């Protein structure tokens, strides 16, 4: 299934998604990265950098990023989100701060 392969390629587990959402919703500057990308949240803007393709670099509004992350959340499904939440709580000793 193509969608599952895509999600697996971009961190198909819920924990990373929850970490990103928590970082965005904290209201403070936040940075995270993966194998091919870097993301910095500052205020109402998100700066995205792809390490291998400069055409994918850019700055977008936080609201646009949250809309995409919500679709990603829905695509992952509740089982992955529940597992991710459990891992997040175990490592951070608190619930994630989510925008929804």
């Amino acid at each position: 299934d193509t969608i599952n392969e895509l999600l697996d390629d971009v961190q198909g587990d819920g924990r990373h998604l929850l970490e990103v959402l928590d970082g965005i919703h904290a209201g403070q500057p936040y940075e995270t990265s993966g194998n091919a990308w870097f993301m910095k949240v500052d205020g109402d803007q998100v700066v995205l950098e792809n390490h291998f393709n400069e055409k994918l670099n850019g700055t977008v509004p936080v609201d646009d990023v949250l809309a995409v992350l919500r679709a990603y959340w829905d695509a992952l499904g509740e089982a992955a989100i529940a597992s991710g939440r459990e891992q997040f709580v175990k490592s951070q000793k608190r619930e994630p701060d989510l925008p929804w």
Side-chain angles (χ1 to χ4, degrees):
D1 182 2
T2 304
I3 190 71
N4 287 332
E5 290 177 37
L6 176 62
L7 292 177
D8 286 344
D9 188 49
V10 291
Q11 305 293 335
D13 67 79
R15 177 182 175 177
H16 191 73
L17 174 61
L18 291 170
E19 288 172 352
V20 170
L21 287 168
D22 181 77
I24 289 172
H25 199 244
Q28 299 176 7
Y30 171 73
E31 296 180 0
T32 189
S33 63
N35 293 332
W37 56 273
F38 169 78
M39 178 182 92
K40 179 179 180 180
V41 179
D42 195 3
D44 60 352
Q45 298 291 311
V46 176
V47 177
L48 298 169
E49 297 176 8
N50 185 293
H51 302 309
F52 303 105
N53 186 343
E54 289 183 20
K55 293 178 184 177
L56 299 176
N57 295 349
T59 301
V60 294
V62 167
D63 290 342
D64 290 356
V65 172
L66 289 175
V68 170
L69 293 176
R70 182 60 209 209
Y72 185 55
W73 171 293
D74 293 342
L76 280 177
E78 289 303 314
I81 298 300
S83 175
R85 183 183 302 269
E86 183 178 314
Q87 294 170 22
F88 182 96
V89 170
K90 185 175 182 180
S91 70
Q92 300 295 320
K93 309 293 189 239
R94 64 177 177 83
E95 287 288 328
D97 187 10
L98 303 174
W100 56 76

